[in-house]
Amino acid sequence: MILDFDVLIVGAGMAGMTAAIYLKRANINVAIIEKTAPGGQINQTNNIENYPGFNKIDGPTLAFNVFNQIQSLGVSYKYGNVLSIKSYEDYKIVTTDKGEYKCRGVIIATGRKPKELGLENEKNLINNGISWCALCDAPLYKERDVMVVGNSKYSIEEALMLSDICSSVTLVYEGKIDEKLKENIILKEKGKIVKLNSRENKLESVDVETNGTVENIKTSGLFIIIGNSPASEMLNGLSINVNDGYVVVDENMRTNIKGIYACGDIIKKEVYQVSTAVGEGAKAAMSYIKDFN
Ligand SMILES: Cc1cc2nc3c(=O)[nH]c(=O)nc-3n(C[C@H](O)[C@H](O)[C@H](O)COP(=O)(O)OP(=O)(O)OC[C@H]3O[C@@H](n4cnc5c(N)ncnc54)[C@H](O)[C@@H]3O)c2cc1C
């Protein structure tokens, strides 16, 4: 059987690129395919302060370093959007907008995207006042006034985390909250963000509508915690186990389909971070090596 590659990794985020390093170093014929730029989500942050080995590093630099590493190892890098994956007894067919690849194994590392409010100017203000992750970005707003929007236990958790470090946190919550929150959390129940206001491309204030009244609230940061969507569209038609769109794997990143593995933010798990994505990338690669070599 003629294969294009032994393994095709879908997604060149930190999980996928780590899997590529492990496979290539084991002399496996591996390619990685990416539809945008290598690095994935970390390209959206200027400040990573919890990845071992760096007190502080910006996401694009970390992505560039890992990309250089896979290039110097000679990993085949393809540009393309994966549209579907088909699994046959001895091989897989990965269809992209640029053509098809035949391979023995596939590692799905397509990550996820935070949901957006869909307001004008929102995309421009990402990293200029808009964030999706208190764990990642709270220290950037130390002793400043911030806002959280969301309607889940996660948005309350994010507000509580921010309240330890920020002067005040306005929590815009669509429903009602019964529990008592901290004193520096200002609650806007039944609230809805209707406009983002900026100056020199930095978020300056937010218009919040509550019971038909619009209030302009000054804020240095807005944390949008309205959920994430897994990038799993290409899995439609494949009988792979998913939960809420996230791929279900065992502890070694095997899916229910022989020869298909998943790692990083696309999998169902508790902690969505660079350090976990990297560890899972290594595990997915090692599982392929165990299963096929
Ligand atoms: C703003 C922000 C700040 C963050 N800060 C931190 C931090 O400080 N510390 C930390 O540990 N974590 C942080 N995170 C989380 C961290 O970035 C992620 O957990 C991690 O990068 C996930 O890596 P991944 O490789 O699993 O997925 P991703 O980074 O999402 O990469 C997936 C890749 O797959 C590609 N892809 C998707 N679909 C397809 C397709 N159909 N065909 C081809 N390619 C496809 C995407 O384009 C993307 O490049 C942050 C996240 C964000 C958004």
Short mmCIF file of all heavy atoms in Angstrom, two decimals, residues 61-124:
data_model
loop_
_atom_site.label_atom_id
_atom_site.label_comp_id
_atom_site.label_asym_id
_atom_site.label_seq_id
_atom_site.Cartn_x
_atom_site.Cartn_y
_atom_site.Cartn_z
N THR A 61 6.30 34.27 19.80
CA THR A 61 7.71 33.84 19.88
C THR A 61 7.79 32.36 20.25
O THR A 61 8.57 31.60 19.65
CB THR A 61 8.48 34.69 20.93
OG1 THR A 61 8.42 36.04 20.51
CG2 THR A 61 9.92 34.24 21.08
N LEU A 62 6.96 31.93 21.20
CA LEU A 62 6.95 30.51 21.57
C LEU A 62 6.56 29.66 20.36
O LEU A 62 7.19 28.65 20.05
CB LEU A 62 5.98 30.28 22.75
CG LEU A 62 5.89 28.86 23.28
CD1 LEU A 62 7.25 28.32 23.73
CD2 LEU A 62 4.90 28.79 24.46
N ALA A 63 5.53 30.12 19.65
CA ALA A 63 5.07 29.38 18.46
C ALA A 63 6.19 29.29 17.42
O ALA A 63 6.44 28.24 16.83
CB ALA A 63 3.85 30.07 17.86
N PHE A 64 6.88 30.41 17.20
CA PHE A 64 7.94 30.48 16.21
C PHE A 64 9.09 29.52 16.59
O PHE A 64 9.64 28.82 15.75
CB PHE A 64 8.43 31.93 16.10
CG PHE A 64 9.40 32.16 15.00
CD1 PHE A 64 9.00 32.08 13.67
CD2 PHE A 64 10.73 32.47 15.28
CE1 PHE A 64 9.91 32.29 12.64
CE2 PHE A 64 11.64 32.68 14.25
CZ PHE A 64 11.23 32.59 12.93
N ASN A 65 9.42 29.50 17.89
CA ASN A 65 10.50 28.61 18.36
C ASN A 65 10.16 27.15 18.07
O ASN A 65 11.00 26.38 17.59
CB ASN A 65 10.72 28.75 19.87
CG ASN A 65 11.35 30.07 20.23
OD1 ASN A 65 11.80 30.82 19.36
ND2 ASN A 65 11.35 30.39 21.52
N VAL A 66 8.91 26.76 18.37
CA VAL A 66 8.52 25.36 18.17
C VAL A 66 8.43 25.06 16.67
O VAL A 66 8.84 23.99 16.21
CB VAL A 66 7.20 25.03 18.90
CG1 VAL A 66 6.87 23.55 18.78
CG2 VAL A 66 7.29 25.41 20.37
N PHE A 67 7.94 26.02 15.92
CA PHE A 67 7.86 25.83 14.46
C PHE A 67 9.26 25.64 13.87
O PHE A 67 9.49 24.74 13.05
CB PHE A 67 7.16 27.03 13.82
CG PHE A 67 7.00 26.90 12.34
CD1 PHE A 67 6.31 25.85 11.78
CD2 PHE A 67 7.56 27.84 11.47
CE1 PHE A 67 6.16 25.71 10.40
CE2 PHE A 67 7.42 27.72 10.10
CZ PHE A 67 6.73 26.65 9.56
N ASN A 68 10.22 26.45 14.33
CA ASN A 68 11.61 26.29 13.88
C ASN A 68 12.13 24.90 14.22
O ASN A 68 12.86 24.28 13.44
CB ASN A 68 12.53 27.31 14.56
CG ASN A 68 12.51 28.62 13.82
OD1 ASN A 68 12.07 28.67 12.67
ND2 ASN A 68 12.97 29.68 14.47
N GLN A 69 11.74 24.43 15.41
CA GLN A 69 12.20 23.11 15.86
C GLN A 69 11.67 22.01 14.93
O GLN A 69 12.44 21.13 14.53
CB GLN A 69 11.70 22.89 17.29
CG GLN A 69 12.39 21.76 18.02
CD GLN A 69 11.95 21.71 19.49
OE1 GLN A 69 11.22 22.59 19.97
NE2 GLN A 69 12.40 20.70 20.20
N ILE A 70 10.38 22.08 14.55
CA ILE A 70 9.87 21.01 13.67
C ILE A 70 10.48 21.14 12.28
O ILE A 70 10.70 20.16 11.59
CB ILE A 70 8.31 20.93 13.63
CG1 ILE A 70 7.66 22.17 13.04
CG2 ILE A 70 7.73 20.61 14.98
CD1 ILE A 70 6.18 21.95 12.69
N GLN A 71 10.75 22.39 11.89
CA GLN A 71 11.37 22.55 10.55
C GLN A 71 12.78 22.01 10.54
O GLN A 71 13.20 21.36 9.58
CB GLN A 71 11.35 24.02 10.17
CG GLN A 71 9.95 24.46 9.76
CD GLN A 71 9.99 25.55 8.73
OE1 GLN A 71 10.67 26.55 8.95
NE2 GLN A 71 9.29 25.37 7.63
N SER A 72 13.53 22.28 11.61
CA SER A 72 14.92 21.81 11.61
C SER A 72 14.97 20.28 11.71
O SER A 72 15.94 19.65 11.27
CB SER A 72 15.75 22.47 12.71
OG SER A 72 15.24 22.09 13.94
N LEU A 73 13.92 19.67 12.25
CA LEU A 73 13.87 18.20 12.28
C LEU A 73 13.47 17.63 10.92
O LEU A 73 13.59 16.43 10.68
CB LEU A 73 12.85 17.73 13.33
CG LEU A 73 13.29 17.82 14.79
CD1 LEU A 73 12.09 17.61 15.71
CD2 LEU A 73 14.37 16.79 15.10
N GLY A 74 12.90 18.49 10.07
CA GLY A 74 12.49 18.03 8.73
C GLY A 74 11.06 17.50 8.67
O GLY A 74 10.73 16.70 7.78
N VAL A 75 10.22 17.95 9.60
CA VAL A 75 8.80 17.54 9.54
C VAL A 75 8.17 18.19 8.32
O VAL A 75 8.36 19.38 8.06
CB VAL A 75 8.06 18.02 10.83
CG1 VAL A 75 6.55 17.79 10.70
CG2 VAL A 75 8.61 17.31 12.06
N SER A 76 7.43 17.41 7.57
CA SER A 76 6.77 17.95 6.38
C SER A 76 5.60 18.83 6.81
O SER A 76 4.72 18.38 7.56
CB SER A 76 6.31 16.77 5.53
OG SER A 76 5.61 17.24 4.43
N TYR A 77 5.60 20.08 6.36
CA TYR A 77 4.57 21.04 6.79
C TYR A 77 3.69 21.39 5.61
O TYR A 77 4.15 21.81 4.57
CB TYR A 77 5.25 22.31 7.34
CG TYR A 77 4.27 23.28 7.97
CD1 TYR A 77 3.90 23.15 9.30
CD2 TYR A 77 3.73 24.32 7.22
CE1 TYR A 77 2.99 24.02 9.87
CE2 TYR A 77 2.81 25.21 7.80
CZ TYR A 77 2.46 25.04 9.12
OH TYR A 77 1.56 25.91 9.69
N LYS A 78 2.39 21.18 5.79
CA LYS A 78 1.43 21.43 4.71
C LYS A 78 0.47 22.53 5.13
O LYS A 78 0.08 22.61 6.30
CB LYS A 78 0.58 20.18 4.42
CG LYS A 78 1.39 18.94 4.12
CD LYS A 78 1.85 18.98 2.69
CE LYS A 78 2.82 17.88 2.37
NZ LYS A 78 3.61 18.12 1.19
N TYR A 79 0.08 23.33 4.14
CA TYR A 79 -0.91 24.36 4.40
C TYR A 79 -2.23 23.88 3.82
O TYR A 79 -2.30 23.46 2.67
CB TYR A 79 -0.46 25.66 3.74
CG TYR A 79 -1.46 26.77 3.90
CD1 TYR A 79 -1.64 27.38 5.13
CD2 TYR A 79 -2.23 27.19 2.83
CE1 TYR A 79 -2.57 28.39 5.29
CE2 TYR A 79 -3.17 28.20 2.98
CZ TYR A 79 -3.33 28.79 4.22
OH TYR A 79 -4.26 29.77 4.38
N GLY A 80 -3.30 23.92 4.60
CA GLY A 80 -4.60 23.49 4.07
C GLY A 80 -5.63 23.33 5.17
O GLY A 80 -5.28 23.16 6.34
N ASN A 81 -6.87 23.39 4.77
CA ASN A 81 -7.98 23.24 5.70
C ASN A 81 -8.51 21.81 5.58
O ASN A 81 -8.95 21.41 4.51
CB ASN A 81 -9.06 24.26 5.32
CG ASN A 81 -10.23 24.26 6.29
OD1 ASN A 81 -10.17 23.63 7.34
ND2 ASN A 81 -11.27 24.97 5.93
N VAL A 82 -8.43 21.06 6.66
CA VAL A 82 -8.93 19.68 6.61
C VAL A 82 -10.46 19.70 6.68
O VAL A 82 -11.06 20.29 7.58
CB VAL A 82 -8.32 18.84 7.76
CG1 VAL A 82 -8.99 17.48 7.84
CG2 VAL A 82 -6.82 18.68 7.53
N LEU A 83 -11.06 19.04 5.70
CA LEU A 83 -12.52 19.07 5.58
C LEU A 83 -13.14 17.78 6.12
O LEU A 83 -14.25 17.81 6.66
CB LEU A 83 -12.92 19.27 4.11
CG LEU A 83 -12.34 20.53 3.45
CD1 LEU A 83 -12.65 20.55 1.97
CD2 LEU A 83 -12.87 21.78 4.14
N SER A 84 -12.45 16.66 5.95
CA SER A 84 -13.00 15.40 6.47
C SER A 84 -11.90 14.36 6.65
O SER A 84 -10.82 14.46 6.05
CB SER A 84 -14.08 14.85 5.53
OG SER A 84 -13.49 14.37 4.35
N ILE A 85 -12.21 13.39 7.50
CA ILE A 85 -11.29 12.25 7.72
C ILE A 85 -12.12 10.98 7.55
O ILE A 85 -13.21 10.88 8.12
CB ILE A 85 -10.70 12.29 9.14
CG1 ILE A 85 -9.94 13.62 9.37
CG2 ILE A 85 -9.78 11.09 9.40
CD1 ILE A 85 -9.56 13.87 10.82
N LYS A 86 -11.60 10.05 6.76
CA LYS A 86 -12.30 8.77 6.60
C LYS A 86 -11.37 7.65 7.08
O LYS A 86 -10.17 7.69 6.81
CB LYS A 86 -12.68 8.53 5.13
CG LYS A 86 -13.83 9.41 4.68
CD LYS A 86 -14.58 8.75 3.51
CE LYS A 86 -15.83 9.53 3.16
NZ LYS A 86 -15.54 10.82 2.52
N SER A 87 -11.97 6.71 7.80
CA SER A 87 -11.16 5.64 8.36
C SER A 87 -11.49 4.32 7.68
O SER A 87 -12.66 3.93 7.62
CB SER A 87 -11.45 5.53 9.87
OG SER A 87 -10.69 4.50 10.41
N TYR A 88 -10.46 3.64 7.17
CA TYR A 88 -10.61 2.31 6.59
C TYR A 88 -9.76 1.35 7.43
O TYR A 88 -8.97 1.79 8.29
CB TYR A 88 -10.18 2.31 5.12
CG TYR A 88 -11.01 3.29 4.30
CD1 TYR A 88 -10.56 4.58 4.06
CD2 TYR A 88 -12.27 2.91 3.82
CE1 TYR A 88 -11.33 5.49 3.35
CE2 TYR A 88 -13.04 3.82 3.09
CZ TYR A 88 -12.57 5.11 2.86
OH TYR A 88 -13.35 6.00 2.16
N GLU A 89 -9.91 0.08 7.16
CA GLU A 89 -9.22 -0.94 7.98
C GLU A 89 -7.72 -0.62 8.19
O GLU A 89 -7.26 -0.56 9.31
CB GLU A 89 -9.42 -2.31 7.28
CG GLU A 89 -8.88 -3.50 8.03
CD GLU A 89 -9.58 -3.73 9.38
OE1 GLU A 89 -10.71 -3.24 9.58
OE2 GLU A 89 -8.95 -4.37 10.24
N ASP A 90 -7.00 -0.38 7.07
CA ASP A 90 -5.54 -0.24 7.19
C ASP A 90 -5.02 1.18 6.94
O ASP A 90 -3.81 1.40 6.96
CB ASP A 90 -4.84 -1.14 6.15
CG ASP A 90 -5.08 -2.59 6.47
OD1 ASP A 90 -5.25 -2.90 7.66
OD2 ASP A 90 -5.12 -3.40 5.52
N TYR A 91 -5.88 2.06 6.60
CA TYR A 91 -5.41 3.43 6.28
C TYR A 91 -6.53 4.45 6.52
O TYR A 91 -7.69 4.08 6.74
CB TYR A 91 -4.92 3.51 4.83
CG TYR A 91 -5.99 3.25 3.79
CD1 TYR A 91 -6.70 4.30 3.22
CD2 TYR A 91 -6.32 1.95 3.40
CE1 TYR A 91 -7.69 4.07 2.27
CE2 TYR A 91 -7.32 1.71 2.46
CZ TYR A 91 -8.00 2.78 1.90
OH TYR A 91 -8.99 2.56 0.99
N LYS A 92 -6.15 5.73 6.45
CA LYS A 92 -7.11 6.84 6.61
C LYS A 92 -6.97 7.75 5.39
O LYS A 92 -5.85 7.89 4.84
CB LYS A 92 -6.80 7.69 7.85
CG LYS A 92 -6.37 6.92 9.09
CD LYS A 92 -7.51 6.18 9.73
CE LYS A 92 -7.01 5.23 10.82
NZ LYS A 92 -7.88 4.09 11.02
N ILE A 93 -8.05 8.38 5.03
CA ILE A 93 -7.98 9.39 3.97
C ILE A 93 -8.36 10.74 4.59
O ILE A 93 -9.44 10.90 5.18
CB ILE A 93 -8.96 9.09 2.81
CG1 ILE A 93 -8.59 7.78 2.11
CG2 ILE A 93 -9.01 10.25 1.81
CD1 ILE A 93 -7.36 7.84 1.22
N VAL A 94 -7.44 11.69 4.48
CA VAL A 94 -7.70 13.04 5.00
C VAL A 94 -7.93 13.95 3.81
O VAL A 94 -7.05 14.11 2.96
CB VAL A 94 -6.49 13.52 5.85
CG1 VAL A 94 -6.72 14.95 6.33
CG2 VAL A 94 -6.28 12.59 7.04
N THR A 95 -9.11 14.52 3.74
CA THR A 95 -9.45 15.39 2.61
C THR A 95 -9.32 16.85 3.05
O THR A 95 -9.86 17.25 4.09
CB THR A 95 -10.89 15.12 2.13
OG1 THR A 95 -10.98 13.73 1.82
CG2 THR A 95 -11.24 15.94 0.90
N THR A 96 -8.61 17.62 2.24
CA THR A 96 -8.41 19.03 2.55
C THR A 96 -8.91 19.86 1.36
O THR A 96 -9.26 19.31 0.31
CB THR A 96 -6.91 19.35 2.78
OG1 THR A 96 -6.27 19.47 1.49
CG2 THR A 96 -6.21 18.27 3.57
N ASP A 97 -8.90 21.18 1.53
CA ASP A 97 -9.31 22.04 0.41
C ASP A 97 -8.24 22.07 -0.69
O ASP A 97 -8.43 22.68 -1.73
CB ASP A 97 -9.62 23.47 0.91
CG ASP A 97 -8.46 24.09 1.66
OD1 ASP A 97 -7.47 23.39 1.96
OD2 ASP A 97 -8.54 25.30 1.97
N LYS A 98 -7.10 21.39 -0.43
CA LYS A 98 -6.03 21.37 -1.44
C LYS A 98 -5.79 19.97 -2.00
O LYS A 98 -4.86 19.74 -2.74
CB LYS A 98 -4.72 21.88 -0.85
CG LYS A 98 -4.81 23.19 -0.11
CD LYS A 98 -4.10 24.28 -0.88
CE LYS A 98 -4.13 25.61 -0.20
NZ LYS A 98 -5.44 26.12 0.19
N GLY A 99 -6.56 19.01 -1.54
CA GLY A 99 -6.36 17.63 -2.04
C GLY A 99 -6.46 16.62 -0.92
O GLY A 99 -6.81 16.96 0.20
N GLU A 100 -6.13 15.36 -1.25
CA GLU A 100 -6.30 14.26 -0.28
C GLU A 100 -4.95 13.69 0.13
O GLU A 100 -4.00 13.69 -0.66
CB GLU A 100 -7.08 13.12 -0.95
CG GLU A 100 -8.56 13.32 -0.94
CD GLU A 100 -9.29 12.09 -1.47
OE1 GLU A 100 -8.65 11.08 -1.86
OE2 GLU A 100 -10.52 12.16 -1.51
N TYR A 101 -4.90 13.16 1.34
CA TYR A 101 -3.70 12.46 1.81
C TYR A 101 -4.11 11.09 2.34
O TYR A 101 -5.15 10.96 2.98
CB TYR A 101 -3.00 13.22 2.94
CG TYR A 101 -2.48 14.58 2.50
CD1 TYR A 101 -3.19 15.73 2.81
CD2 TYR A 101 -1.30 14.68 1.78
CE1 TYR A 101 -2.73 16.98 2.41
CE2 TYR A 101 -0.83 15.92 1.37
CZ TYR A 101 -1.55 17.06 1.69
OH TYR A 101 -1.08 18.27 1.29
N LYS A 102 -3.26 10.11 2.03
CA LYS A 102 -3.51 8.75 2.54
C LYS A 102 -2.44 8.46 3.60
O LYS A 102 -1.24 8.67 3.34
CB LYS A 102 -3.38 7.78 1.37
CG LYS A 102 -3.84 6.38 1.68
CD LYS A 102 -3.79 5.57 0.37
CE LYS A 102 -4.34 4.19 0.55
NZ LYS A 102 -4.29 3.44 -0.71
N CYS A 103 -2.85 8.03 4.75
CA CYS A 103 -1.86 7.78 5.81
C CYS A 103 -2.35 6.65 6.71
O CYS A 103 -3.52 6.26 6.65
CB CYS A 103 -1.64 9.05 6.63
SG CYS A 103 -3.16 9.85 7.06
N ARG A 104 -1.44 6.15 7.54
CA ARG A 104 -1.83 5.04 8.43
C ARG A 104 -2.50 5.56 9.70
O ARG A 104 -3.44 4.98 10.19
CB ARG A 104 -0.56 4.24 8.79
CG ARG A 104 -0.85 2.98 9.57
CD ARG A 104 0.38 2.12 9.74
NE ARG A 104 0.84 1.56 8.48
CZ ARG A 104 2.01 1.83 7.90
NH1 ARG A 104 2.86 2.66 8.47
NH2 ARG A 104 2.35 1.28 6.75
N GLY A 105 -1.97 6.66 10.20
CA GLY A 105 -2.52 7.21 11.45
C GLY A 105 -2.82 8.70 11.32
O GLY A 105 -2.21 9.39 10.49
N VAL A 106 -3.76 9.16 12.13
CA VAL A 106 -4.09 10.60 12.14
C VAL A 106 -4.09 11.07 13.59
O VAL A 106 -4.64 10.37 14.47
CB VAL A 106 -5.49 10.85 11.52
CG1 VAL A 106 -5.90 12.32 11.68
CG2 VAL A 106 -5.51 10.49 10.04
N ILE A 107 -3.48 12.22 13.82
CA ILE A 107 -3.57 12.84 15.15
C ILE A 107 -4.37 14.13 15.00
O ILE A 107 -3.98 15.02 14.24
CB ILE A 107 -2.17 13.10 15.75
CG1 ILE A 107 -1.46 11.77 15.98
CG2 ILE A 107 -2.29 13.89 17.07
CD1 ILE A 107 -0.08 11.87 16.61
N ILE A 108 -5.48 14.19 15.69
CA ILE A 108 -6.34 15.37 15.61
C ILE A 108 -5.90 16.34 16.71
O ILE A 108 -5.96 16.02 17.90
CB ILE A 108 -7.82 14.99 15.80
CG1 ILE A 108 -8.24 13.96 14.75
CG2 ILE A 108 -8.72 16.21 15.75
CD1 ILE A 108 -9.51 13.21 15.11
N ALA A 109 -5.45 17.53 16.29
CA ALA A 109 -4.95 18.53 17.26
C ALA A 109 -5.47 19.90 16.84
O ALA A 109 -4.73 20.87 16.74
CB ALA A 109 -3.42 18.49 17.30
N THR A 110 -6.78 19.96 16.60
CA THR A 110 -7.36 21.17 16.00
C THR A 110 -7.80 22.23 17.01
O THR A 110 -8.27 23.30 16.61
CB THR A 110 -8.56 20.78 15.11
OG1 THR A 110 -9.39 19.87 15.84
CG2 THR A 110 -8.12 20.11 13.83
N GLY A 111 -7.66 21.93 18.30
CA GLY A 111 -7.88 22.95 19.32
C GLY A 111 -9.31 23.48 19.38
O GLY A 111 -10.27 22.80 19.00
N ARG A 112 -9.43 24.70 19.85
CA ARG A 112 -10.76 25.30 19.98
C ARG A 112 -10.67 26.81 19.93
O ARG A 112 -9.58 27.38 20.03
CB ARG A 112 -11.43 24.84 21.26
CG ARG A 112 -10.68 25.28 22.51
CD ARG A 112 -11.37 24.77 23.73
NE ARG A 112 -10.80 25.39 24.91
CZ ARG A 112 -11.38 25.41 26.09
NH1 ARG A 112 -12.54 24.84 26.26
NH2 ARG A 112 -10.80 26.00 27.11
N LYS A 113 -11.84 27.41 19.80
CA LYS A 113 -11.89 28.87 19.70
C LYS A 113 -12.86 29.40 20.75
O LYS A 113 -13.96 28.83 20.90
CB LYS A 113 -12.43 29.28 18.32
CG LYS A 113 -11.51 28.94 17.19
CD LYS A 113 -12.09 29.40 15.88
CE LYS A 113 -13.28 28.56 15.50
NZ LYS A 113 -13.82 28.74 14.17
N PRO A 114 -12.49 30.50 21.44
CA PRO A 114 -13.46 31.08 22.37
C PRO A 114 -14.61 31.70 21.60
O PRO A 114 -14.40 32.26 20.52
CB PRO A 114 -12.68 32.15 23.12
CG PRO A 114 -11.31 32.15 22.58
CD PRO A 114 -11.23 31.24 21.40
N LYS A 115 -15.80 31.59 22.16
CA LYS A 115 -16.94 32.23 21.49
C LYS A 115 -16.82 33.74 21.67
O LYS A 115 -16.30 34.22 22.69
CB LYS A 115 -18.24 31.72 22.11
CG LYS A 115 -18.53 30.28 21.75
CD LYS A 115 -19.87 29.86 22.29
CE LYS A 115 -20.10 28.38 22.04
NZ LYS A 115 -21.04 27.78 22.96
N GLU A 116 -17.33 34.46 20.69
CA GLU A 116 -17.28 35.93 20.76
C GLU A 116 -18.68 36.49 20.97
O GLU A 116 -19.68 35.82 20.71
CB GLU A 116 -16.69 36.47 19.46
CG GLU A 116 -15.23 36.06 19.28
CD GLU A 116 -14.64 36.48 17.94
OE1 GLU A 116 -15.30 37.25 17.22
OE2 GLU A 116 -13.54 36.02 17.64
N LEU A 117 -18.75 37.76 21.40
CA LEU A 117 -20.05 38.41 21.60
C LEU A 117 -20.69 38.80 20.27
O LEU A 117 -21.89 38.97 20.17
CB LEU A 117 -19.89 39.69 22.45
CG LEU A 117 -19.44 39.46 23.90
CD1 LEU A 117 -19.04 40.78 24.54
CD2 LEU A 117 -20.56 38.82 24.70
N GLY A 118 -19.83 38.98 19.26
CA GLY A 118 -20.33 39.38 17.94
C GLY A 118 -20.55 40.87 17.83
O GLY A 118 -21.36 41.32 17.00
N LEU A 119 -19.82 41.67 18.65
CA LEU A 119 -20.01 43.13 18.60
C LEU A 119 -18.98 43.78 17.68
O LEU A 119 -17.89 43.23 17.46
CB LEU A 119 -19.87 43.72 20.00
CG LEU A 119 -20.97 43.33 20.99
CD1 LEU A 119 -20.64 43.83 22.37
CD2 LEU A 119 -22.32 43.88 20.54
N GLU A 120 -19.34 44.94 17.18
CA GLU A 120 -18.44 45.69 16.30
C GLU A 120 -17.15 46.01 17.06
O GLU A 120 -17.21 46.31 18.26
CB GLU A 120 -19.16 47.00 15.94
CG GLU A 120 -18.63 47.64 14.68
CD GLU A 120 -19.28 48.99 14.46
OE1 GLU A 120 -20.48 49.12 14.73
OE2 GLU A 120 -18.55 49.89 14.02
N ASN A 121 -16.03 45.96 16.42
CA ASN A 121 -14.74 46.32 17.01
C ASN A 121 -14.14 45.23 17.91
O ASN A 121 -13.03 45.37 18.40
CB ASN A 121 -14.90 47.61 17.85
CG ASN A 121 -13.64 48.42 17.84
OD1 ASN A 121 -12.76 48.17 17.02
ND2 ASN A 121 -13.51 49.38 18.73
N GLU A 122 -14.91 44.16 18.17
CA GLU A 122 -14.47 43.15 19.14
C GLU A 122 -13.14 42.50 18.73
O GLU A 122 -12.22 42.39 19.54
CB GLU A 122 -15.57 42.09 19.25
CG GLU A 122 -15.35 41.07 20.34
CD GLU A 122 -16.56 40.14 20.46
OE1 GLU A 122 -17.59 40.40 19.82
OE2 GLU A 122 -16.45 39.15 21.19
N LYS A 123 -13.05 42.11 17.46
CA LYS A 123 -11.83 41.42 17.01
C LYS A 123 -10.61 42.32 17.16
O LYS A 123 -9.54 41.86 17.53
CB LYS A 123 -11.98 40.97 15.56
CG LYS A 123 -12.92 39.80 15.40
CD LYS A 123 -12.78 39.14 14.04
CE LYS A 123 -13.94 38.25 13.71
NZ LYS A 123 -14.19 37.16 14.64
N ASN A 124 -10.77 43.64 16.89
CA ASN A 124 -9.63 44.56 16.98
C ASN A 124 -9.13 44.73 18.41
O ASN A 124 -7.99 45.11 18.62
CB ASN A 124 -10.04 45.98 16.51
CG ASN A 124 -10.41 45.98 15.07
OD1 ASN A 124 -9.95 45.12 14.32
ND2 ASN A 124 -11.25 46.93 14.66
#
